[in-house]
Structures are given as C-alpha cells and as structure tokens.
Amino acid sequence: MDTNQALKKIGIVSDAHGIRGELYVIVFSGDISWLSTANEITLKNPSDGLMQIFKLKKAKAFKKGFIASFHDVSDRNQAEDLKKYEVWLDQAHFVSNDGEQPFLAELLDFEVSDKTLGQIGKVIRFSSNGEQDLLVLDQSVNQQNIEIPFIKEFVVSVDYTLKKILTDLPEGLVQINEKD
C-alpha cells in the first residue's frame, strides 16, 4: 500500500505535555472533528522519514489541536523524543457525505477560479481569521499568499471529480495586499 495514498499529513507534534507521556499536537487546519473516531495515529520521524503507528489511549481538544496519550508512550522523556514528528492520519477520516460541509483536507490541491478573474491558484493549506476558514493559495500578492474565505457567499461550486472550486469574489479581495 502506498503511504501517500492512505495517509494525510495533518499536523506536527509541538511538545510533550505533562509527565505521563502526553503529546500536544498542532493540527494545521484546526479541524479535529475526526478525533473521537481515530484509534491510531502515524508519526513520521523528521530526520529519517520512518513512520510508526501509535495506538491512541485518549485525546482531547487543546488550543490549536489536541493532547494525546498513546499506549506505547508512558513518560515525558519518551514524549520529548517525539517532538517535531509529523502527524499523519488515515484519509478515510476526511471524507464528507453528500450534503455535509466538506472537510478542509478534502480541498487540498484543488484549483480555485473566479467567475470574473479566472484562474486564481491552487489550495496549499488552510487558515482562519477567527470567523471563518480560509483557503490559502499558492499564488501571492506582495509576498503574502492569497487567502479566500471558504463561505457559501463566495463559493459557487465545488467539483470533487475535477478538483476545482469556482468562486464569485467581491471586487478587490484577491488584490487586497497590493501596495497603492
């Protein structure tokens, strides 16, 4: 099985938490709605690229991600050794059903076009302005990536087969970072 097809990179181990081997994991998208259904998480060593599966004992939301305890990690020293490891999860956790709000991870690498502007860019990551999720594109204005609010007022359609998002953006949104 090809690891890249079965797993999706969702975050990074930020730090050890407490003395019992718990880890603080930052989730890039901020979306942890899948957490209650996950039984295992794969960690990838940043220095050698080796991946290891860890069975989740328990997990709870915390700041920009979650705190997790694993069956095979029982003290702070073991947890400290896992800092900066990439966190990967089975892609099956990120598939929405028809009519449901899509998981942001499902939109990664989608091409974004606008009714007026045409092709804008490709979704490379996600962010938030506190009020709404933002699609961060590979194109930039003044060294700042273009960010598109992922809201129904701006998104006309999402084509999962062609991996395309069509928007109808307010005038000036894409150029907001241009200097006068």
Side-chain angles (χ1 to χ4, degrees), residues 122-147:
K122 184 185 282 192
V123 178
I124 57 169
R125 65 178 181 276
F126 309 96
S127 186
S128 174
N129 63 10
E131 297 295 318
Q132 59 218 351
D133 293 320
L134 303 172
L135 305 176
V136 180
L137 307 185
D138 61 350
Q139 300 300 312
S140 62
V141 175
N142 286 331
Q143 289 93 32
Q144 291 190 344
N145 287 86
I146 295 171
E147 297 180 338

mmCIF file of all heavy atoms in Angstrom, residues 122-147:
data_model
loop_
_atom_site.group_PDB
_atom_site.id
_atom_site.type_symbol
_atom_site.label_atom_id
_atom_site.label_comp_id
_atom_site.label_asym_id
_atom_site.label_seq_id
_atom_site.Cartn_x
_atom_site.Cartn_y
_atom_site.Cartn_z
ATOM 1 N N LYS A 122 -3.963 27.412 -6.566
ATOM 2 C CA LYS A 122 -4.224 26.077 -6.035
ATOM 3 C C LYS A 122 -4.189 26.146 -4.507
ATOM 4 O O LYS A 122 -3.352 26.836 -3.924
ATOM 5 C CB LYS A 122 -3.147 25.115 -6.534
ATOM 6 C CG LYS A 122 -3.376 23.673 -6.118
ATOM 7 C CD LYS A 122 -2.241 22.772 -6.524
ATOM 8 C CE LYS A 122 -2.354 22.439 -7.984
ATOM 9 N NZ LYS A 122 -1.448 21.344 -8.374
ATOM 10 N N VAL A 123 -5.097 25.413 -3.840
ATOM 11 C CA VAL A 123 -5.150 25.380 -2.379
ATOM 12 C C VAL A 123 -3.936 24.605 -1.861
ATOM 13 O O VAL A 123 -3.735 23.445 -2.216
ATOM 14 C CB VAL A 123 -6.453 24.714 -1.873
ATOM 15 C CG1 VAL A 123 -6.463 24.645 -0.350
ATOM 16 C CG2 VAL A 123 -7.678 25.454 -2.400
ATOM 17 N N ILE A 124 -3.111 25.269 -1.030
ATOM 18 C CA ILE A 124 -1.912 24.623 -0.481
ATOM 19 C C ILE A 124 -1.998 24.369 1.029
ATOM 20 O O ILE A 124 -1.280 23.542 1.565
ATOM 21 C CB ILE A 124 -0.633 25.417 -0.798
ATOM 22 C CG1 ILE A 124 -0.720 26.851 -0.272
ATOM 23 C CG2 ILE A 124 -0.327 25.369 -2.284
ATOM 24 C CD1 ILE A 124 0.594 27.610 -0.305
ATOM 25 N N ARG A 125 -2.866 25.118 1.693
ATOM 26 C CA ARG A 125 -3.076 24.913 3.136
ATOM 27 C C ARG A 125 -4.307 25.702 3.553
ATOM 28 O O ARG A 125 -4.974 26.301 2.737
ATOM 29 C CB ARG A 125 -1.848 25.281 3.956
ATOM 30 C CG ARG A 125 -1.446 26.709 3.947
ATOM 31 C CD ARG A 125 -0.212 26.955 4.852
ATOM 32 N NE ARG A 125 0.143 28.342 4.847
ATOM 33 C CZ ARG A 125 0.888 28.933 3.934
ATOM 34 N NH1 ARG A 125 1.391 28.252 2.944
ATOM 35 N NH2 ARG A 125 1.149 30.224 4.010
ATOM 36 N N PHE A 126 -4.554 25.743 4.854
ATOM 37 C CA PHE A 126 -5.744 26.396 5.369
ATOM 38 C C PHE A 126 -5.374 27.293 6.528
ATOM 39 O O PHE A 126 -4.344 27.110 7.172
ATOM 40 C CB PHE A 126 -6.766 25.344 5.820
ATOM 41 C CG PHE A 126 -7.020 24.326 4.750
ATOM 42 C CD1 PHE A 126 -6.345 23.117 4.750
ATOM 43 C CD2 PHE A 126 -7.882 24.599 3.716
ATOM 44 C CE1 PHE A 126 -6.534 22.198 3.746
ATOM 45 C CE2 PHE A 126 -8.086 23.687 2.695
ATOM 46 C CZ PHE A 126 -7.412 22.478 2.716
ATOM 47 N N SER A 127 -6.223 28.258 6.786
ATOM 48 C CA SER A 127 -6.010 29.190 7.885
ATOM 49 C C SER A 127 -7.382 29.584 8.412
ATOM 50 O O SER A 127 -8.406 29.055 7.960
ATOM 51 C CB SER A 127 -5.229 30.412 7.383
ATOM 52 O OG SER A 127 -4.899 31.255 8.461
ATOM 53 N N SER A 128 -7.401 30.514 9.331
ATOM 54 C CA SER A 128 -8.656 31.015 9.869
ATOM 55 C C SER A 128 -8.449 32.461 10.291
ATOM 56 O O SER A 128 -7.367 32.835 10.735
ATOM 57 C CB SER A 128 -9.089 30.182 11.072
ATOM 58 O OG SER A 128 -10.233 30.755 11.675
ATOM 59 N N ASN A 129 -9.474 33.263 10.140
ATOM 60 C CA ASN A 129 -9.395 34.639 10.636
ATOM 61 C C ASN A 129 -10.207 34.784 11.919
ATOM 62 O O ASN A 129 -10.500 35.884 12.342
ATOM 63 C CB ASN A 129 -9.854 35.632 9.562
ATOM 64 C CG ASN A 129 -11.300 35.448 9.165
ATOM 65 O OD1 ASN A 129 -12.051 34.708 9.794
ATOM 66 N ND2 ASN A 129 -11.699 36.123 8.106
ATOM 67 N N GLY A 130 -10.565 33.675 12.520
ATOM 68 C CA GLY A 130 -11.347 33.670 13.745
ATOM 69 C C GLY A 130 -12.835 33.541 13.492
ATOM 70 O O GLY A 130 -13.570 33.001 14.301
ATOM 71 N N GLU A 131 -13.288 34.038 12.348
ATOM 72 C CA GLU A 131 -14.705 33.985 11.996
ATOM 73 C C GLU A 131 -15.009 32.901 10.984
ATOM 74 O O GLU A 131 -16.110 32.380 10.932
ATOM 75 C CB GLU A 131 -15.155 35.336 11.426
ATOM 76 C CG GLU A 131 -15.056 36.477 12.420
ATOM 77 C CD GLU A 131 -15.995 36.317 13.602
ATOM 78 O OE1 GLU A 131 -17.152 35.908 13.389
ATOM 79 O OE2 GLU A 131 -15.563 36.580 14.731
ATOM 80 N N GLN A 132 -14.020 32.593 10.119
ATOM 81 C CA GLN A 132 -14.264 31.639 9.038
ATOM 82 C C GLN A 132 -12.967 30.969 8.607
ATOM 83 O O GLN A 132 -11.887 31.476 8.862
ATOM 84 C CB GLN A 132 -14.901 32.345 7.834
ATOM 85 C CG GLN A 132 -14.065 33.460 7.286
ATOM 86 C CD GLN A 132 -14.909 34.651 6.833
ATOM 87 O OE1 GLN A 132 -16.105 34.579 6.782
ATOM 88 N NE2 GLN A 132 -14.257 35.745 6.508
ATOM 89 N N ASP A 133 -13.140 29.815 7.969
ATOM 90 C CA ASP A 133 -11.988 29.107 7.418
ATOM 91 C C ASP A 133 -11.529 29.826 6.157
ATOM 92 O O ASP A 133 -12.330 30.385 5.411
ATOM 93 C CB ASP A 133 -12.364 27.665 7.072
ATOM 94 C CG ASP A 133 -12.686 26.845 8.304
ATOM 95 O OD1 ASP A 133 -11.991 27.015 9.313
ATOM 96 O OD2 ASP A 133 -13.635 26.038 8.248
ATOM 97 N N LEU A 134 -10.218 29.799 5.926
ATOM 98 C CA LEU A 134 -9.626 30.433 4.751
ATOM 99 C C LEU A 134 -8.878 29.402 3.932
ATOM 100 O O LEU A 134 -8.147 28.576 4.488
ATOM 101 C CB LEU A 134 -8.652 31.542 5.164
ATOM 102 C CG LEU A 134 -9.213 32.657 6.043
ATOM 103 C CD1 LEU A 134 -8.089 33.568 6.535
ATOM 104 C CD2 LEU A 134 -10.252 33.468 5.294
ATOM 105 N N LEU A 135 -9.051 29.445 2.617
ATOM 106 C CA LEU A 135 -8.256 28.625 1.703
ATOM 107 C C LEU A 135 -7.014 29.444 1.372
ATOM 108 O O LEU A 135 -7.121 30.568 0.887
ATOM 109 C CB LEU A 135 -9.041 28.338 0.424
ATOM 110 C CG LEU A 135 -10.419 27.701 0.574
ATOM 111 C CD1 LEU A 135 -11.089 27.575 -0.790
ATOM 112 C CD2 LEU A 135 -10.328 26.365 1.262
ATOM 113 N N VAL A 136 -5.836 28.899 1.643
ATOM 114 C CA VAL A 136 -4.586 29.588 1.337
ATOM 115 C C VAL A 136 -4.088 29.049 0.001
ATOM 116 O O VAL A 136 -3.902 27.836 -0.157
ATOM 117 C CB VAL A 136 -3.531 29.383 2.446
ATOM 118 C CG1 VAL A 136 -2.242 30.116 2.108
ATOM 119 C CG2 VAL A 136 -4.080 29.844 3.797
ATOM 120 N N LEU A 137 -3.878 29.951 -0.949
ATOM 121 C CA LEU A 137 -3.498 29.563 -2.301
ATOM 122 C C LEU A 137 -2.001 29.680 -2.534
ATOM 123 O O LEU A 137 -1.298 30.381 -1.800
ATOM 124 C CB LEU A 137 -4.253 30.414 -3.324
ATOM 125 C CG LEU A 137 -5.779 30.454 -3.169
ATOM 126 C CD1 LEU A 137 -6.403 31.239 -4.309
ATOM 127 C CD2 LEU A 137 -6.367 29.065 -3.078
ATOM 128 N N ASP A 138 -1.525 29.009 -3.593
ATOM 129 C CA ASP A 138 -0.098 29.027 -3.921
ATOM 130 C C ASP A 138 0.335 30.334 -4.584
ATOM 131 O O ASP A 138 1.514 30.568 -4.759
ATOM 132 C CB ASP A 138 0.268 27.827 -4.806
ATOM 133 C CG ASP A 138 -0.468 27.805 -6.136
ATOM 134 O OD1 ASP A 138 -1.414 28.603 -6.329
ATOM 135 O OD2 ASP A 138 -0.114 26.968 -6.978
ATOM 136 N N GLN A 139 -0.604 31.196 -4.949
ATOM 137 C CA GLN A 139 -0.281 32.487 -5.551
ATOM 138 C C GLN A 139 -0.212 33.551 -4.458
ATOM 139 O O GLN A 139 -0.903 33.452 -3.440
ATOM 140 C CB GLN A 139 -1.341 32.868 -6.587
ATOM 141 C CG GLN A 139 -1.457 31.868 -7.713
ATOM 142 C CD GLN A 139 -0.165 31.709 -8.492
ATOM 143 O OE1 GLN A 139 0.461 32.681 -8.878
ATOM 144 N NE2 GLN A 139 0.261 30.464 -8.682
ATOM 145 N N SER A 140 0.611 34.574 -4.666
ATOM 146 C CA SER A 140 0.763 35.600 -3.643
ATOM 147 C C SER A 140 0.718 36.999 -4.242
ATOM 148 O O SER A 140 0.929 37.200 -5.430
ATOM 149 C CB SER A 140 2.064 35.392 -2.870
ATOM 150 O OG SER A 140 3.169 35.507 -3.733
ATOM 151 N N VAL A 141 0.436 37.958 -3.380
ATOM 152 C CA VAL A 141 0.483 39.381 -3.696
ATOM 153 C C VAL A 141 1.363 40.021 -2.622
ATOM 154 O O VAL A 141 1.073 39.900 -1.432
ATOM 155 C CB VAL A 141 -0.941 40.000 -3.681
ATOM 156 C CG1 VAL A 141 -0.869 41.504 -3.902
ATOM 157 C CG2 VAL A 141 -1.825 39.344 -4.728
ATOM 158 N N ASN A 142 2.459 40.672 -3.054
ATOM 159 C CA ASN A 142 3.422 41.269 -2.115
ATOM 160 C C ASN A 142 3.905 40.274 -1.061
ATOM 161 O O ASN A 142 3.873 40.539 0.132
ATOM 162 C CB ASN A 142 2.849 42.521 -1.452
ATOM 163 C CG ASN A 142 2.803 43.689 -2.406
ATOM 164 O OD1 ASN A 142 3.624 43.782 -3.321
ATOM 165 N ND2 ASN A 142 1.850 44.576 -2.206
ATOM 166 N N GLN A 143 4.330 39.128 -1.495
ATOM 167 C CA GLN A 143 4.867 38.047 -0.664
ATOM 168 C C GLN A 143 3.874 37.496 0.359
ATOM 169 O O GLN A 143 4.258 36.836 1.314
ATOM 170 C CB GLN A 143 6.155 38.477 0.064
ATOM 171 C CG GLN A 143 7.353 38.643 -0.838
ATOM 172 C CD GLN A 143 7.516 40.077 -1.319
ATOM 173 O OE1 GLN A 143 7.180 41.001 -0.608
ATOM 174 N NE2 GLN A 143 8.016 40.242 -2.523
ATOM 175 N N GLN A 144 2.590 37.756 0.196
ATOM 176 C CA GLN A 144 1.575 37.174 1.075
ATOM 177 C C GLN A 144 0.653 36.309 0.226
ATOM 178 O O GLN A 144 0.094 36.781 -0.768
ATOM 179 C CB GLN A 144 0.773 38.258 1.785
ATOM 180 C CG GLN A 144 1.586 39.019 2.815
ATOM 181 C CD GLN A 144 0.696 39.924 3.660
ATOM 182 O OE1 GLN A 144 -0.444 40.204 3.310
ATOM 183 N NE2 GLN A 144 1.222 40.370 4.777
ATOM 184 N N ASN A 145 0.509 35.046 0.650
ATOM 185 C CA ASN A 145 -0.366 34.137 -0.097
ATOM 186 C C ASN A 145 -1.791 34.678 -0.118
ATOM 187 O O ASN A 145 -2.256 35.258 0.860
ATOM 188 C CB ASN A 145 -0.365 32.746 0.531
ATOM 189 C CG ASN A 145 0.918 32.011 0.288
ATOM 190 O OD1 ASN A 145 1.862 32.172 1.051
ATOM 191 N ND2 ASN A 145 0.968 31.227 -0.766
ATOM 192 N N ILE A 146 -2.457 34.475 -1.239
ATOM 193 C CA ILE A 146 -3.857 34.858 -1.361
ATOM 194 C C ILE A 146 -4.676 33.938 -0.461
ATOM 195 O O ILE A 146 -4.479 32.724 -0.458
ATOM 196 C CB ILE A 146 -4.327 34.737 -2.824
ATOM 197 C CG1 ILE A 146 -3.567 35.737 -3.703
ATOM 198 C CG2 ILE A 146 -5.838 34.938 -2.933
ATOM 199 C CD1 ILE A 146 -3.792 35.542 -5.192
ATOM 200 N N GLU A 147 -5.584 34.531 0.310
ATOM 201 C CA GLU A 147 -6.470 33.779 1.187
ATOM 202 C C GLU A 147 -7.914 34.075 0.801
ATOM 203 O O GLU A 147 -8.308 35.230 0.694
ATOM 204 C CB GLU A 147 -6.235 34.148 2.653
ATOM 205 C CG GLU A 147 -4.849 33.791 3.133
ATOM 206 C CD GLU A 147 -4.598 34.145 4.595
ATOM 207 O OE1 GLU A 147 -5.307 35.020 5.134
ATOM 208 O OE2 GLU A 147 -3.694 33.545 5.181
#
